[in-house]
Structures are given as structure tokens and as C-alpha cells.
Amino acid sequence: MTNSTTRTRLVPPNAAAPRVRRGGAAARRDGFWPWLFVLPLLSGIGVFYLWPIAQTAYFSFTEWGVFGGATWTGIANYTRLFADPQLYSALGNTLLYTAIVLLGIPIAVYIASLLNMPGLRFASFYRVLFFLPYVAMPTAVAMVWRIIFNGDFGILNYVLSFVGIDGPYWTSTPGFAMFAVAIVGLWSSFGFSMIILGAGLKNIPPELYEAAELDGATPWRRFRSVTVPLLTPSIFFVMIITIISSFQLFDLLYALLGSTNPILPKSMSLVYFFYSQGFVSNDKGYAAAIAMVIFVIIGIVTLLQFRLQKRWVNND
Amino acid sequence: MLNSSSGSGAFRRRGLLGLVGAIGLAALVAGCSTSPSADTASAGYTAPAKDLSAEITYGLWDQTQVAAIDANIKEFNKVYPDIKVNVNVTPWDSYWPKLQTQASSNTLPDLFWMNGPNFQTYGGAGKIEPITSEVSAGAIDPANYPQALDDLYTIDGTQYGVPKDFDTIGLWYNKAIFEKAGVDLPTASWTWDDFDSAASAISKALKKDGIYGAGGGMDGQTTYYDTIFQAGGSVISGDGKTSGYDSAASQKGISFWTDLIASGGSPTIQQLTDTPAIQWFTSGKLGMLWSGSWSRTAVAESSIAKDANVAPLPTGEKQATVIHGVSNVVAASSKNKAAAQALQVFLASKEAQQQQGDMGAVIPAFNGTQQTFVDSQPGVDLQVFIDATKYAQPYPVSKNTAAWAALETTILPDAFSGATPVADATKDLADQMNGLLAKE
Amino acid sequence: MTDTITAPRGTTTRATDSRVTARTTTVKKRKSPRRGGSHTIAHIVLGVGGLLMAFPFIWQILMSLSTNAEVQSVVPTFWPAELQWQNFAEVFNRMPFLAQLKTSVLITVIRGAAQIVLCTMAGYAFARMRFRGRAFLLAITLSILMVPSQVYLISQYQVVQGFGWLNTLAGIVAPGLFSAFGTFLMRTAFLNMPQELEEAARIDGANPWQIFWKIMLPLARPSINVLAITTVLWSWNELLWPLVVSTYSDTMPLSAGLATLVGDKTTDYPVVMAASLMAMAPVLILFIVLQRKVIDGLASSGLK
């Protein structure tokens, strides 16, 4: 009902006007309403997340006993951490992983735009295939991938042997292990990127393509000058989420390489580094400092992306 | 004396928690819940009244043992019909983070499984209840269990638990592979040399079938701890203060594996990581496997069951194996300590352990209850694992075992693969380990 | 900033709605032969890519029907000599599958519903309302995304303990009712929507709740679908928290049950594969059934 009334009122030769008005005037009008909208969420976020995180921040300045009981040690954990070569090796591994997983995004843009072609048959069937890995339980798929990657009876090396390649022991050779983990990471996050980008594509008005087509733009050019610019909000969203979750690599690494894998110390991600110090070696204060460093790194990367996003969109 | 020391532990803990509480309501709540913990410890143990009504939780990590444990609890409930026991299984990888979380909040299960490497961390922090009162009341007699395991669960003369089961390491072998390679079967009098030459001979003879002579899990318990002990070395000094890795004997124990892999007698470290040794063995691709008594089930269920047998580990300077066993311990913060202790006592009894053994879950620890295990797989000389208790050495631990155990997994693989000379790796390991031990 | 760019775009679409539909149909007709040509390439790319993506699952199904020896044969067994259906029956002996399925469904439904309500409301306010401290509160909320969940495990546990919710469904469910990710997602969605509808409704005298509920929420349906999917999957697969906070095996979700099964010392590959498939099946089936509605529906609900 309301919908239809507003729509008749919408006829908007004057699209610019409302934009100017939203500012101080709106602020006064919203009054207590925004708090009604955000407080239910914020109270939970505060109690279940912010408070625990604040505690962790505090503990990073302490020597924290295995079961609690913290003694203030100032920045001792941080000075030790920055001198610890494991931090840099873990950071390097995490960056490598993130870089490989990010490669999935351009592919996802391409696949999503193929799936978005009007009149494409079997589109939903293909979509299910590409989305499947995202549905999978990490514990469940890690098992299959370990068997696929197995150096002695794995199908990957069996297939490679046909092309004359003697495949490595993927999950137990330092250089290859992170690569193998990243392949699975890309594989399992692909469905998410695809679905977000797909939703973004659906929102691009078709007439823009037609206009470009009338101007004689080639499909590639249409893709570059219509699809990509209008998709940037979605691309940025996917990138931010991908980077944030890649920096938090833990479960997959743990499940794929196995908790007793001798190369684990060399293929450690940042969060695994945190975990091994906090929950295995029982050095919780030090682990809290690692956690804070992870937090700051991700924060900086995300902030840079937001900056970049603003500039990109404004210059366009 | 011993009781009062644990009492002061509880006090210290509360003081520390108070400090945390200063910054947090949640921690304060946790602090309050410790208050009932101090009292029962000082009273001597007496079996609770049969009509004691309580609900307790029993935490453990091995799903395969649940059937036998349920049977135990059924028997327990014949005596104490009103104690309800909830069995909580948490998979191994999550069991310890969970236990740490619960210990930090004083919400540990009333009774739970403890292992050697983690025991001193919990015992030393006053998180678990000593069994002193149960022993002095005659409800538990430590003499009924292997001495090495009583020692494992003792700190400074105070014992916190008795083993519920034990495992030792043996040399599993596949008769069919030996016959095919034309090599004589292992015997109880085998030395390291006999073992090495058999391993290389099998690998050489059956290379085209992808079969190797021998292998192990490349973890301490099933492989290099045993050879270190056999060479007369040690992993950690008796007082738990210094590393034993820099001794010549210990280095010999490590070289045993480096040489075996280099000679081709064993699959490489990478091959053993991709496919665990137990699977090499059960799929008929490994002549000999260094593994524990727990491998019986996997071997019995595999396609090579009829060809499998087991012999004692080969002898180096002396005969040795690691012994380890899981213990049931009562949480110091338990609100139903009487009920938890009643169950702890019951599970330590001959009757309960016999039942565990009869159901084939494990080798029960109570002396004289092991026959069912020995008979469980005719044609396989399982007595080897029982006899091994005579020369077995306890699993090496200290207050924070996990910290230096992590070093072992970081440093030793490079030695096994030949990337780092054994002498360098063990020196490095010993130095770093001593650094950690000094901090304990 | 982003909204100033995207909002007018939405307006254009809406304003030209009728014209567009008319034009697209003619365009489609005109171009159909060439489109057909490019579809062939698309089918090849999508077919091969899709097969690669699905391969691990196909492999998993084959392995779940094999014997342990076949799984480990050096030359891969592509088709088991005899289909071992009993592997699936065996799963019921190894874990309390139905009880855990019930728990999984329950916690997933509760968290899904709560996140949709809470994140949509908060996301809307962060995107479209002006209030003191908005940027700060948003930044704080988003910062949670940047901390790995293992980090605050112990503190979070103590909070739940403080509420007395250990071993309860409330304890398992509580932290997952609130999602920074969901808020971020919904904020992005609302940012991209045209400003004018709201303005019009405001002039009509609708209060902010009515605007949100009657106008903006229906428009946000595609993103709500995405939120629902991601929440369902996350909740279904979450492992560590339910394991830590719950004490009774039969009240654990399937993800925890599966991990317990995998954690056994004897690794029976085929049964583990069968259990994995069974644990994933419910969400998989749900997705296949709903996918047309969920994803194909994006077009219509997004633009009309």
C-alpha cells in the first residue's frame, strides 16, 4: 500500500533536491529512532565481543598464567614479539595465502557475469556447482583434499603424472603446503564472492549496457567500462571480507595439514602462531600480544581499502 | 601437610583471580565460584552414602571408549543410583583448549581425563584434587598400578590420580611381507642392528611393490623417546629442570631414525606425514611399525589382520619403551566432589577396569586385569605390551611440557629429513628447552 | 560518500522502468543469434569450471561408497568394485546423528532469525540515519571482524558463564545472535538504495520504523537472502564454540559430532566420508531447493 503511494509520488525530475537536504535537518528529525535500531545489536556486540576483546588487549601487557592471574609487564610481550622471527614468517605465509585467495575475485567476477547472461540455460545448475564448496563443512572437506593431495595415492599427482610431472608431497613440503592450503581456501571462498558479485551485477541497470552497445562498445569494453565501475561497491566488499578472513586463516590450515604435521611450524599463519603460543605453549600474555598485532594489521589494511575505495569512486 | 599446600594453592589462585576481577565482572563471577573448593580437601575420604543424590559430568576425548564407559557407569549406578553421570566427549584437538577455558573459569567437569604431558600444568596450578585422602582411607591403593604411571601423576610426593589404562610401544610386523622378502621374523632378542638390516632388506627386496621395511609415527612416544631411552639417554632430567637432548646417548637415539630414513629402510618424513605410518602398515605397505598397544583395533580391522604380529622393541644399550596411561582426575572446583570422588574410586577399582578390558577398549591399568586384552586377538602376541611394563620408562614431562614439546616438533623433523645434522639439531633443541625449563 | 554516487543510479532505473523493459525485449530479440554464439563459450567455461569445483564432492561420494583399501590404492579406484552402502548406515552407530541434527537445525534457525532482525535494523541505521557517534560505533562494530574468534574464546566463555548459560542452548546461541559481518553487509545494501523513497514516505508522515519496515526492508530482500545464507552456513559449520560451551554430547551440533568422529584414532575413511556427506546434506539440499528463489530472485526484488 505505502509502496504504491510512494511510487506515484516518486516521479522525480528533481532527483538532486533530496540529496542536498539530507544533513543537519535529518539529524534532528531522527532523534531517538537510530538508537532504537542500533542498541539491540550494540548491546550484544559490546557484551559478547567488545568486552572480551578489551580484556585481551589488557592481557597483552601482562604475563598471563595458564589459567588466569595476570602480572603487568608493560610492553615486554611486544618487544619480544617484534624480535621473534616466527612473527615475520607467519606474516609472510599469511600474505602469500591472502594473495592467492584474492586471485579468486577476478575469476568470480568473470564467472558471475557469465552466469548473469540473459537467457543462459542451466544457469542455476552451474551456480549450484560453483557454490557447493562454500556450503561444505571445513572438517569434512579437509579430509577429501588431504586424500586428493596425498603424495602417494592422491589423484592430483596421478593426473599430473600423465603430463609427465612428478608431483610433490603437497601437504608435507614447506613451499607447496601453503600453496595447497590457499588452493582450498580459494575453492571454498569462491561461492561467497560469486553470490555477492552476482547480486551486484543484478543491480546494474540493463539500459547502461544497451547504451554502451549502441555506442559500439565491444563486450570486453562494456565489461570494463560498465560492469567493473558499477560493481566496485560489491568488489570492495568482497575484497575486504576476503582479506579479513584470509588474515584469520586457522581452521583450514589446521584441518588440512593436520595437528601433528612436522612442517606446520614453517607453514604457520598468524592465527596459528597465536594459537600455538596461547593454547599449546600456554603463553597467553604473549599470545594476546600476537592477537593485537593481527588486529592492528587487519585494521590498517581495511582502512587503506576504505580510503582507496573513496578515491576510486570519487575519481570515476 | 600435603592438603594444606593445596589449600594455599587455592588461595593464591583466588588472589590472582581477584586481580583479574578488578578489571572484569565476568572474572569476578568466576572467582566467586571457587569458594566451595577448599573445604573437602582437608577431610579424609569416606565413601559417600548410597543415597547421595548428585549430577556430575565426566569429560573425555575418545569416542571409541564410550560404550565401555557407559557400561562402567551402569555398574556404578547400582551402588549409587542417585548420582547421574553425564559423559561429555570432546574431540582431541578441541579437548585441551576447552579444558583450559574451563579451568580458567573454574567450570571443569567434575571428573575428567588427564594425560601425562598436561598433568603438571593442571596439578601445579591447584586445578585438580589430590587423591591423598582416598589413598589414606584405603579406597585406592597405588600399588595396584604400574609404578611408572603412579609417578607420572605425582608432583612433589602428592599423587593426583591413578591410571585407568596404559599403553606401551611394540614392534608390529607383517609376516607376509617378511616371507615375501625372505627375511627372518623379529624376535624378542633383536638388537638395533638386527632391526636395521631387516628394514633395509625388506625395502630393497620389495621396492617395486612400493613396500618399505619399517616406520613410525615420528612423534616422541612411539619412536624417538623409545630409542633415546634404549640408548641410555634421557629427554629431561629426573627433577624436570634440564633437557637431556645434548647427551651423546640421546643423540644416538635420534640418529637411529635419521639413519633408518637415510638408508631407505623407512618412508621419508614427507611420506609419513601424507600417509600416517599406521595406514602404511594396515594397507600392507610397511614391514614393521613402531606403535602402541592402541593400534590393535586398527590392525585387527584391517585387511592384513591375519598376517600381523607384534614383538618387543629391539634392544639398544638396553631394553626400553615409553609407558603412558590416562588418569581420571577430580576437579578442585567441583561442586559435587563427594560424588566425583566416588566415581573416581569406582573407576580405579579392579571390577571397573576389568570391565574396560573385557570390552576391548584399552589395556586396563589395574594389575592382573590385562588377560582379556592379551587374548583379544589370537595369534598376536599381545603379552609383549604387558611384559614391557617391566622395563618401561614414564613419559617424559615437566611443569609445562607442551612448551618444549612444541620445540621438538619444530626442530627434530629437520634432523630426520637430513637437512640439519643431528648434533646441531639436538644442541639447538637442548638450549631452547633449557631456556623454557628455567622459566617454569 | 559511496551513496552519493549510487543513489542517483537507482533513481534513474526506477524512473525509466517501463521504458527499460520495453527496450530490453527488443534488444534481446535483435541480438539472439550472436548471444547464442557466446553462450557456447560460456557453457564450456562454466561446465569445466563447475566440474572442477564439484570434483572434491564427487570424489567424496565415490569414496564413501568404497572400501578403505580402495580409497588408499596407489592407482586411484575411480569406481568401487561394489558399492558399500552400509558405510552410511554405519554412521548412525558412530554418532547420535538425529539428535545432533536437531540441535544444528535449532541453533541455526534461532541465529539466522536473530541476525536478520538485528543486523538489518542496525545496518539500516548505520547507512541511512544520522546520529551522534555513528562513525565511531560503526568502526567499533566493524573492528570485531578483525579479531580472530579464537582470541576471545576464554573471555567470551566467562561472559556466558556470568549469565549462567553454560550447557544451555542459550549459551551456544548467544554470541552468534550478533554479527558484525551481517551489519556490514546490510549497511552496504542500504547504502546502495535510492534516497528518494524514504523522503517521499517521510513527507507522507511515516515514522522511521514504518519507513524501514514497509519500504526499505522489502527492497533489501536480496541482501537479506545473502545474509540468511551466510548465517545458516556459518552457524551450521561452526565448531569450536559449541564444543567448548556445551557439555553433553547429544546436545552438540553436527559439526562437533563430525569432528569427534574424525578425531578417532582409527581412521576409517569411507565412514568418515559418508558422515561428512550426511552432515553437509541438509544445507546443501536447502540451498539447491531455494537457490532459484534466493539468487534468481535477486533480479526482480532488487529492481522493482
Side-chain angles (χ1 to χ4, degrees):
Chain A
M1 252 319 271
T2 331
N3 246 334
S4 62
T5 44
T6 46
R7 184 158 301 177
T8 48
R9 287 185 170 274
L10 207 109
V11 187
N14 198 357
R19 247 200 302 155
V20 180
R21 264 199 282 127
R22 102 193 196 310
R28 242 165 288 129
R29 195 182 322 137
D30 289 339
F32 67 95
W33 284 101
W35 299 103
L36 210 65
F37 279 78
V38 293
L39 275 182
L41 180 94
L42 287 180
S43 56
I45 292 272
V47 170
F48 289 107
Y49 296 92
L50 290 179
W51 165 244
I53 291 171
Q55 273 191 311
T56 308
Y58 165 75
F59 285 131
S60 73
F61 295 101
T62 65
E63 173 99 45
W64 189 7
V66 186
F67 306 120
T71 22
W72 184 263
T73 54
I75 58 164
N77 286 325
Y78 289 94
T79 39
R80 180 180 149 207
L81 179 59
F82 289 120
D84 190 339
Q86 282 195 295
L87 173 69
Y88 303 99
S89 123
L91 181 60
N93 288 328
T94 308
L95 286 173
L96 175 68
Y97 173 83
T98 308
I100 297 176
V101 175
L102 277 176
L103 287 180
I105 294 181
I107 305 174
V109 172
Y110 178 62
I111 297 292
S113 64
L114 286 184
L115 288 171
N116 197 36
M117 286 166 76
L120 182 77
R121 296 182 66 192
F122 312 122
S124 26
F125 173 67
Y126 291 133
R127 200 170 286 126
V128 169
L129 291 186
F130 280 94
F131 193 73
L132 268 179
Y134 186 60
V135 179
M137 232 175 238
T139 330
V141 287
M143 203 74 181
V144 197
W145 278 102
R146 281 179 80 158
I147 295 176
I148 291 176
F149 280 131
N150 188 294
D152 287 302
F153 58 79
I155 189 164
L156 178 61
N157 282 355
Y158 181 72
V159 171
L160 288 178
S161 70
F162 286 114
V163 237
I165 299 172
D166 192 8
Y169 286 89
W170 291 93
T171 54
S172 52
T173 312
F176 290 102
M178 193 39 83
F179 191 72
V181 174
I183 292 287
V184 182
L186 193 160
W187 174 79
S188 62
S189 65
F190 192 86
F192 171 76
S193 310
M194 192 192 74
I195 204 171
I196 299 279
L197 293 166
L201 281 173
K202 296 275 187 196
N203 283 332
I204 297 179
E207 70 268 26
L208 289 180
Y209 286 103
E210 287 141 25
E213 209 170 340
L214 291 179
D215 291 346
T218 61
W220 169 243
R221 176 139 188 100
R222 286 202 300 272
F223 179 74
R224 233 189 49 197
S225 54
V226 179
T227 312
V228 173
L230 287 177
L231 206 54
T232 42
S234 304
I235 293 177
F236 269 112
F237 179 82
V238 168
M239 267 176 75
I240 290 172
I241 294 298
T242 306
I243 289 179
I244 289 178
S245 60
S246 298
F247 264 86
Q248 298 183 8
L249 168 67
F250 175 73
D251 289 355
L252 183 64
L253 183 83
Y254 199 72
L256 193 65
L257 298 191
S259 53
T260 56
N261 194 319
I263 65 152
L264 211 44
K266 291 178 196 121
S267 311
M268 216 158 33
S269 68
L270 284 169
V271 179
Y272 192 86
F273 183 36
F274 160 84
Y275 179 84
S276 72
Q277 293 298 323
F279 284 102
V280 181
S281 302
N282 298 328
D283 202 346
K284 290 226 166 61
Y286 191 51
I290 299 172
M292 285 301 115
V293 169
I294 299 174
F295 173 68
V296 170
I297 293 175
I298 300 180
I300 292 173
V301 173
T302 313
L303 209 66
L304 281 177
Q305 276 186 289
F306 272 112
R307 282 278 149 82
L308 200 68
Q309 178 178 16
K310 263 181 208 171
R311 182 176 304 172
W312 187 340
V313 175
N314 284 347
N315 286 354
D316 224 30
Chain B
M1 194 34 219
L2 300 167
N3 290 339
S4 73
S5 78
S6 87
S8 76
F11 263 122
R12 190 170 53 87
R13 190 171 69 254
R14 252 206 284 173
L16 293 173
L17 271 164
L19 203 150
V20 182
I23 65 146
L25 169 80
L28 259 174
V29 172
C32 293
S33 68
T34 53
S35 35
S37 72
D39 44 10
T40 45
S42 48
Y45 173 81
T46 41
K50 308 272 180 255
D51 60 351
L52 176 67
S53 170
E55 182 164 350
I56 57 174
T57 304
Y58 180 25
L60 46 103
W61 63 73
D62 189 356
Q63 182 71 37
T64 55
Q65 295 189 33
V66 170
I69 286 163
D70 285 344
N72 271 175
I73 292 171
K74 214 170 149 193
E75 290 301 311
F76 175 72
N77 280 339
K78 285 182 185 161
V79 187
Y80 296 104
D82 297 326
I83 299 180
K84 184 175 187 316
V85 184
N86 296 302
V87 176
N88 176 218
V89 189
T90 309
W92 172 260
D93 281 340
S94 313
Y95 186 81
W96 300 104
K98 175 171 180 172
L99 214 56
Q100 276 186 29
T101 307
Q102 293 173 323
S104 305
S105 319
N106 292 304
T107 55
L108 284 166
D110 302 282
L111 186 69
F112 58 97
W113 281 12
M114 180 46 69
N115 70 1
N118 286 286
F119 160 65
Q120 294 198 12
T121 309
Y122 288 80
K127 291 292 171 188
I128 45 184
E129 192 69 24
I131 55 167
T132 321
S133 59
E134 288 144 290
V135 172
S136 58
I140 294 179
D141 182 2
N144 288 327
Y145 314 90
Q147 178 66 39
L149 292 180
D150 283 329
D151 294 347
L152 189 63
Y153 292 105
T154 301
I155 305 175
D156 299 333
T158 308
Q159 193 168 348
Y160 289 80
V162 290
K164 65 177 270 297
D165 55 33
F166 73 78
D167 44 63
T168 55
I169 312 302
L171 183 68
W172 291 92
Y173 62 93
N174 182 328
K175 286 177 279 189
I177 290 180
F178 273 80
E179 271 163 36
K180 207 169 158 193
V183 177
D184 289 337
L185 295 178
T187 66
S189 59
W190 259 25
T191 62
W192 279 12
D193 288 340
D194 296 327
F195 169 82
D196 282 337
S197 51
S200 323
I202 292 172
S203 283
K204 209 166 288 164
L206 303 176
K207 199 181 171 78
K208 58 174 192 319
D209 300 324
I211 293 174
Y212 285 87
M218 304 320 287
D219 58 329
Q221 188 181 7
T222 61
T223 52
Y224 53 86
Y225 287 173
D226 302 282
T227 50
I228 287 174
F229 293 153
Q230 287 160 9
S234 68
V235 174
I236 189 165
S237 63
D239 59 4
K241 298 245 190 304
T242 46
S243 168
Y245 272 107
D246 45 4
S247 76
S250 297
Q251 288 170 0
K252 253 178 85 183
I254 299 291
S255 300
F256 177 93
W257 294 101
T258 313
D259 297 345
L260 179 68
I261 291 170
S263 74
S266 159
T268 64
I269 282 283
Q270 290 176 333
Q271 287 176 297
L272 289 171
T273 305
D274 265 23
T275 314
I278 176 76
Q279 278 170 40
W280 279 91
F281 186 72
T282 53
S283 56
K285 302 236 177 298
L286 199 63
M288 294 175 275
L289 169 74
W290 287 54
S291 190
S293 37
W294 63 79
S295 294
R296 186 200 65 85
T297 332
V299 171
E301 286 169 359
S302 75
S303 52
I304 59 138
K306 62 179 193 328
D307 297 319
N309 202 348
V310 68
L313 293 178
T315 308
E317 293 298 313
K318 57 179 183 177
Q319 209 170 12
T321 169
V322 175
I323 185 169
H324 181 260
V326 170
S327 176
N328 291 309
V329 295
V330 171
S333 60
S334 168
K335 293 189 184 70
N336 297 301
K337 211 172 286 171
Q341 283 179 326
L343 181 58
Q344 183 184 37
V345 166
F346 178 79
L347 292 174
S349 69
K350 186 167 188 175
E351 176 199 1
Q353 298 219 346
Q354 184 68 59
Q355 192 174 28
Q356 284 268 315
D358 290 351
M359 296 196 60
V362 285
I363 311 182
F366 200 103
N367 292 335
T369 57
Q370 291 91 9
Q371 198 54 42
T372 332
F373 172 80
V374 174
D375 298 338
S376 62
Q377 207 178 343
V380 178
D381 188 12
L382 294 169
Q383 184 66 33
V384 163
F385 293 109
I386 315 300
D387 293 345
T389 53
K390 296 187 192 93
Y391 51 83
Q393 301 194 24
Y395 193 98
V397 293
S398 74
K399 280 196 191 109
N400 191 359
T401 312
W404 53 265
L407 286 177
E408 288 173 342
T409 56
T410 314
I411 295 171
L412 291 180
D414 281 344
F416 296 138
S417 68
T420 316
V422 171
D424 296 356
T426 47
K427 173 88 179 48
D428 184 21
L429 176 55
D431 288 348
Q432 291 197 46
M433 186 168 155
N434 282 328
L436 287 173
L437 291 173
K439 280 201 289 182
E440 281 185 358
Chain C
M1 315 300 127
T2 349
D3 35 342
T4 49
I5 304 299
T6 40
R9 170 163 59 83
T11 324
T12 336
T13 323
R14 217 157 309 271
T16 51
D17 227 348
S18 51
R19 252 188 315 133
V20 171
T21 16
R23 188 132 56 96
T24 23
T25 38
T26 51
V27 168
K28 232 181 241 165
K29 251 176 224 153
R30 177 156 49 81
K31 277 197 316 195
S32 59
R34 225 198 54 211
R35 279 278 163 97
S38 65
H39 276 190
T40 318
I41 297 169
H43 280 299
I44 292 170
V45 172
L46 293 172
V48 172
L51 192 67
L52 281 176
M53 295 296 278
F55 176 76
F57 295 96
I58 299 170
W59 204 229
Q60 194 167 26
I61 293 170
L62 288 177
M63 280 191 293
S64 71
L65 294 170
S66 305
T67 62
N68 215 2
E70 283 169 328
V71 171
Q72 292 177 55
S73 60
V74 172
V75 175
T77 317
F78 287 96
W79 194 259
E82 200 176 323
L83 297 180
Q84 311 285 325
W85 292 105
Q86 72 276 15
N87 289 334
F88 284 85
E90 178 63 22
V91 172
F92 290 98
N93 297 332
R94 301 274 186 102
M95 59 199 270
F97 188 85
L98 293 176
Q100 293 180 340
L101 176 69
K102 201 178 120 198
T103 310
S104 277
V105 169
L106 203 60
I107 63 175
T108 300
V109 168
I110 295 175
R111 294 202 275 202
Q115 281 201 17
I116 288 173
V117 172
L118 297 175
C119 298
T120 316
M121 280 166 57
Y124 175 71
F126 279 128
R128 306 310 285 259
M129 289 176 158
R130 312 266 310 186
F131 54 99
R132 196 183 273 276
R134 180 177 76 162
F136 174 74
L137 289 173
L138 180 66
I140 287 271
T141 306
L142 293 190
S143 71
I144 289 161
L145 282 175
M146 298 162 201
V147 184
S149 59
Q150 295 84 0
V151 167
Y152 43 78
L153 176 69
I154 293 179
S155 308
Q156 211 175 47
Y157 177 89
Q158 290 177 342
V159 171
V160 168
Q161 182 195 12
F163 284 115
W165 288 347
L166 292 181
N167 304 324
T168 64
L169 192 68
I172 301 184
V173 159
L177 303 179
F178 311 96
S179 162
F181 167 80
T183 310
F184 187 28
L185 180 77
M186 293 317 298
R187 174 185 170 262
T188 312
F190 285 117
L191 273 184
N192 289 340
M193 281 177 195
Q195 191 81 24
E196 290 67 28
L197 283 172
E198 273 174 301
E199 292 295 335
R202 221 166 258 155
I203 292 163
D204 280 354
N207 69 28
W209 176 259
Q210 290 167 323
I211 296 173
F212 167 70
W213 188 252
K214 295 206 171 134
I215 298 170
M216 300 307 274
L217 209 56
L219 285 179
R221 243 189 46 213
S223 296
I224 294 176
N225 287 339
V226 173
L227 177 62
I229 294 173
T230 50
T231 307
V232 164
L233 291 176
W234 164 80
S235 172
W236 195 265
N237 294 337
E238 195 198 26
L239 178 61
L240 189 60
W241 178 253
L243 272 177
V244 169
V245 84
S246 62
T247 301
Y248 310 128
S249 312
D250 47 351
T251 57
M252 281 182 183
L254 278 174
S255 55
L258 184 64
T260 313
L261 184 67
V262 175
D264 283 359
K265 275 177 187 156
T266 48
T267 307
D268 193 345
Y269 281 137
V271 175
V272 170
M273 293 301 156
S276 305
L277 286 168
M278 285 167 60
M280 291 191 290
V283 278
L284 206 58
I285 291 167
L286 185 78
F287 176 73
I288 291 173
V289 170
L290 292 184
Q291 71 101 17
R292 185 174 293 275
K293 199 171 157 60
V294 165
I295 304 172
D296 295 355
L298 295 183
S300 52
S301 56
L303 284 171
K304 261 186 210 137

